[in-house]
Amino acid sequence: MDIKSDCDSSYHQTCQPILSLQALLNFDSPWKNLVEPIAPRSRSRHLGDRYQVLDFKDEPIAYVDNEARPQVLLCHDFKGNYLNDKYINGVQGEGQWVDYRFYNWAAIDIFCYFSHNFVTVPTLQWLNCAHRNGVKVIGTLIIEQQNAQLLRDILQSEEFMSRVVDALVRVSKVCQFHGWLLNIEYGLDPSKIDMLCDFVRLLTERCHREIPGSLVIWYDAIAKSGRVDWQNELNNVNDAFFLACDGIFLNYAWNRQKLERTENYIRNYCPERRVDVFVGIDVFGRSQRAQMDTNAPLEQVMAFRFSVALFAPGWTFESLEASSNRDLIEPDDRNVQFLQMNDRFWNRLWRHLYIRGPLQLPFYSSFCLGSGKFYKRLGKIQSDQCWFNLAKQNYQPTIPYNPPLEFETSNDPLSHWTHHFNEALDGGSCLKLRNVEHDKRLFACDFSCEKDLIVCYAYRRSNPTGVDLALILKAYCPRRYECTRIVCSDRDCHVSGRPNEMRAIPLDKEESLQLLKLGATSQLPLADTINGWDIRYYYLSAEKLPLGIRIVDIGLKLHKDQTAHTADYALLGAVHLQAGLPAHRQYLAQRTVLSFERPE
């Protein structure tokens, strides 16, 4: 992978695939120091049908071991890839901002960047976008008819094969991604199959040794016979490759009988490796009913507790392009169509999936999707040009925004909340809320309260007298299976009076400045307003809490009084949580003292 410089613009510096063995052996990355480390994430939760709803029943929160439950591999094949995402500094220009953006990271465990080039190295934009959301990234090595000689060259001798393995490990290590998908789709002399298995095994072992958490996944194509013979199941025709690496990506033409045979194989030979079987689903619909019905094959796979490999989810963008071009749809309308299509697609899948959210403080998100019609910092325009750069995407919410399709009604077009591209606090977008009458989940998370919490958010309202926005925190006591609803709104906000509910006290301007004097730092100004955005700060003190209390959900609620109109809305520009200053909490008279005590 190299950087191509253009004297006219830094936007022509690009990431490229590796096309030859010599380029692989000589690889170096000029942008290796620009890769962000992968963010830690919370333990897994399965939210089921009520994934959007934030409730406060005193009951256990069911966490699932991340490695023991079905995994989701997202294989990103988007028009051959290395498009706008290949530019290290993104792209600028009219209409460029409307492109495919993936943002449903909470349900994804592995992101595979795929192309039909020999060695597909993930681009910097996708690496940083996935890592910021806590998702592992792998690249692809592919052998097809047009480059079949490369495989024969790799296997020319054990010594040369070992050099190639070391080169692949070095590429992954230098560029800070987590391994490889191996896609061999061209026949091989049967006498070389054992050496190919050795290649897979050696690559897996050396990746594990050099890259913690790495994985190598084999695509179900070539068989032990040396012929390309897609099995669409795990059996003794392809198991040698499965046993040599971390998992197998089954081809798409499976059926229930093939899943049952795969289950029998797993049960009889390696019961501990069930989730290492990734059943392929092509979103475009090859061999399965997919597209907007992808939930149907997904449900079948999840019934067997296998993992899943979703191939080409960019269908939600590509499927709209022909009609958009034919009808000369404006960029704003194309963007809305894509967001609606994408959110409906993922809503149909979400109840089957396990989700993970942010774990580490400080936590900040301005909800920027990685593109925009302008670029803002703290509400002030830094550039008025359209842009696209996935590396600037912020941490994204845990759930898709639109209601599931079965809950949508044609006479209620304002029932959803979504990204909004006509305004932003940081970046190119924010969240727009029109009708969130009940507590709705924004993030499933896992933040400790042990060192107190400083909570703040930036917001705007179309009708400041008739509309208000509340940030809702769910505090959980794992020892007693109890929870408390913490409402972060204005001083006079309504709370129901339930015993497990409390109102957080917003800090006034003087108390916010006191935080600064005490040494607090924040990505939002310690002020009550900035460039048209209102800011609320809260200091949540754990001085009366038992040990082990966690914030496990962050939600939203929009309140409208009688003076508000149906079309009134609120914008959420950013959310920021950080550890507090417990040694100095006594200097904050307006602190909110959290409690799990229940009245008699």
Side-chain angles (χ1 to χ4, degrees):
M1 184 172 291
D2 57 39
I3 292 182
K4 297 179 179 179
S5 297
D6 185 308
C7 61
D8 295 327
S9 173
S10 64
Y11 289 92
H12 287 256
Q13 297 177 341
T14 64
C15 305
Q16 297 291 340
I18 298 171
L19 304 180
S20 69
L21 280 169
Q22 193 60 48
L24 174 61
L25 295 171
N26 295 334
F27 175 84
D28 192 21
S29 169
W31 49 262
K32 58 191 175 186
N33 294 326
L34 301 177
V35 182
E36 296 182 11
I38 188 168
R41 290 202 288 179
S42 64
R43 292 170 291 170
S44 299
R45 291 164 66 181
H46 185 256
L47 301 176
D49 291 325
R50 293 178 61 79
Y51 58 87
Q52 292 180 328
V53 179
L54 196 54
D55 60 44
F56 295 88
K57 298 176 183 176
D58 287 337
E59 59 187 15
I61 291 179
Y63 289 103
V64 182
D65 180 56
N66 297 328
E67 308 303 323
R69 48 83 174 170
Q71 307 287 294
V72 177
L73 184 154
L74 189 147
C75 194
H76 177 61
D77 180 10
F78 183 69
K79 299 189 288 188
N81 274 324
Y82 294 105
L83 302 169
N84 281 338
D85 63 296
K86 72 183 177 183
Y87 294 99
I88 289 172
N89 295 310
V91 294
Q92 287 186 336
E94 189 64 34
Q96 296 278 15
W97 67 284
V98 184
D99 203 337
Y100 180 68
R101 291 138 294 174
F102 182 76
Y103 50 93
N104 300 106
W105 295 104
I108 306 303
D109 300 288
I110 307 157
F111 177 88
C112 177
Y113 191 71
F114 183 93
S115 81
H116 290 276
N117 298 289
F118 170 43
V119 176
T120 301
V121 182
T123 64
L124 180 64
Q125 286 192 40
W126 279 112
L127 275 169
N128 283 345
C129 186
H131 282 184
R132 191 170 296 154
N133 284 275
V135 174
K136 291 182 180 179
V137 178
I138 61 175
T140 306
L141 182 147
I142 192 168
I143 299 293
E144 297 175 295
Q145 182 174 359
Q146 66 270 20
N147 67 352
Q149 183 60 41
L150 290 170
L151 180 59
R152 292 189 283 269
D153 291 343
I154 290 171
L155 302 179
Q156 63 184 272
S157 69
E158 290 188 4
E159 185 274 336
F160 191 75
M161 179 185 75
S162 181
R163 287 181 61 196
V164 172
V165 165
D166 286 342
L168 288 168
V169 173
R170 185 172 65 253
V171 171
S172 185
K173 189 173 183 179
V174 165
C175 295
Q176 300 176 56
F177 58 95
H178 280 83
W180 298 97
L181 171 68
L182 303 180
N183 186 353
I184 312 299
E185 291 197 78
Y186 194 75
L188 185 66
D189 189 310
S191 66
K192 291 288 188 179
I193 287 296
D194 285 346
M195 185 175 278
L196 179 58
C197 286
D198 289 341
F199 170 77
V200 176
R201 185 178 299 105
L202 192 61
L203 178 61
T204 304
E205 290 172 354
R206 291 188 183 172
C207 278
H208 289 178
R209 187 175 67 200
E210 297 290 329
I211 306 166
S214 60
L215 66 163
V216 175
I217 295 176
W218 177 262
Y219 175 64
D220 161 38
I222 198 168
K224 288 179 182 178
S225 65
R227 293 182 292 110
V228 174
D229 187 8
W230 298 276
Q231 295 298 294
N232 307 292
E233 63 181 276
L234 176 60
N235 55 31
N236 61 8
V237 176
N238 57 16
D239 63 349
F241 304 106
F242 171 70
L243 296 172
C245 66
D246 297 302
I248 188 167
F249 180 153
L250 296 183
N251 190 50
Y252 314 106
W254 49 268
N255 54 34
R256 182 174 181 82
Q257 186 178 43
K258 290 180 180 292
L259 293 180
E260 288 173 347
R261 288 203 293 260
T262 299
E263 182 175 48
N264 288 336
Y265 179 97
I266 288 291
R267 185 169 57 245
N268 291 330
Y269 298 109
C270 43
E272 75 286 354
R273 296 200 62 189
R274 176 179 292 270
V275 298
D276 296 340
V277 177
F278 292 82
V279 181
I281 300 174
D282 184 346
V283 175
F284 275 79
R286 276 187 297 172
S287 306
Q288 296 287 339
R289 185 177 73 178
Q291 300 184 8
M292 201 56 78
D293 293 318
T294 298
N295 58 298
L298 176 65
E299 188 170 354
Q300 293 183 63
V301 173
M302 289 301 178
F304 284 87
R305 302 291 295 169
F306 293 134
S307 295
V308 65
L310 290 173
F311 185 79
W315 170 83
T316 58
F317 188 91
E318 288 190 64
S319 63
L320 298 170
E321 285 191 297
S323 60
S324 295
N325 294 334
R326 181 190 66 237
D327 299 336
L328 302 177
I329 304 295
E330 291 296 320
D332 281 275
D333 295 327
R334 290 176 58 206
N335 189 53
V336 169
Q337 286 181 356
F338 162 64
L339 293 175
Q340 290 179 345
M341 170 80 87
N342 197 64
D343 290 336
R344 286 170 179 163
F345 173 85
W346 285 98
N347 265 300
R348 287 170 168 254
L349 309 186
W350 218 249
R351 66 187 179 92
H352 300 293
L353 304 177
Y354 294 82
I355 57 91
R356 300 172 69 186
L359 173 68
Q360 193 173 65
L361 295 173
F363 171 74
Y364 176 83
S365 180
S366 68
F367 311 101
C368 178
L369 263 190
S371 75
K373 298 183 287 185
F374 46 74
Y375 190 87
K376 289 191 175 185
R377 173 64 186 135
L378 295 178
K380 187 175 182 180
I381 287 187
Q382 308 295 301
S383 170
D384 60 2
Q385 291 198 50
C386 298
W387 61 278
F388 176 92
N389 186 350
L390 293 170
K392 294 185 180 295
Q393 185 180 113
N394 273 216
Y395 210 111
Q396 293 299 308
T398 301
I399 65 166
Y401 301 132
N402 284 5
L405 194 61
E406 57 266 33
F407 297 133
E408 293 179 2
T409 56
S410 58
N411 61 356
D412 188 16
L414 305 179
S415 62
H416 62 274
W417 43 296
T418 187
H419 284 100
H420 179 64
F421 285 81
N422 290 333
E423 190 51 85
L425 181 79
D426 278 343
S429 58
C430 59
L431 294 188
K432 186 173 185 177
L433 302 93
R434 283 178 167 148
N435 187 17
V436 187
E437 295 180 354
H438 305 288
D439 295 352
K440 291 295 179 72
R441 181 177 280 107
L442 183 61
F443 295 106
C445 55
D446 192 10
F447 297 135
S448 171
C449 294
E450 184 177 344
K451 295 183 179 180
D452 298 353
L453 283 174
I454 299 172
V455 178
C456 60
Y457 63 97
Y459 65 103
R460 296 178 71 165
R461 295 166 291 178
S462 62
N463 178 355
T465 60
V467 175
D468 198 21
L469 176 65
L471 196 70
I472 310 293
L473 306 183
K474 181 176 181 177
Y476 176 66
C477 177
R479 183 170 56 87
R480 304 195 314 225
Y481 303 144
E482 293 178 350
C483 65
T484 293
R485 179 178 185 256
I486 305 167
V487 182
C488 300
S489 187
D490 64 16
R491 290 178 174 275
D492 302 317
C493 70
H494 172 74
V495 292
S496 66
R498 292 179 295 187
N500 65 337
E501 185 173 39
M502 62 185 304
R503 180 191 299 115
I505 303 169
L507 303 183
D508 61 25
K509 189 173 183 178
E510 287 187 10
E511 289 271 293
S512 297
L513 291 174
Q514 182 70 2
L515 283 177
L516 183 63
K517 294 176 184 176
L518 294 173
T521 59
S522 177
Q523 288 188 251
L524 291 175
L526 288 159
D528 52 12
T529 184
I530 181 76
N531 295 320
W533 291 85
D534 295 318
I535 301 174
R536 286 174 174 158
Y537 270 90
Y538 307 84
Y539 190 95
L540 307 183
S541 171
E543 59 199 85
K544 292 188 177 181
L545 286 183
L547 293 176
I549 303 299
R550 319 283 297 182
I551 300 297
V552 296
D553 283 300
I554 301 173
L556 294 170
K557 183 175 182 180
L558 190 67
H559 174 74
K560 294 183 178 181
D561 68 15
Q562 308 91 307
T563 67
H565 300 287
T566 303
D568 280 334
Y569 61 87
L571 304 179
L572 182 62
V575 172
H576 188 208
L577 281 79
Q578 60 182 310
L581 306 161
H584 305 289
R585 62 166 73 111
Q586 68 271 22
Y587 298 109
L588 295 166
Q590 295 173 356
R591 69 185 184 275
T592 299
V593 180
L594 301 179
S595 174
F596 264 70
E597 295 302 318
R598 303 287 196 262
E600 295 296 330

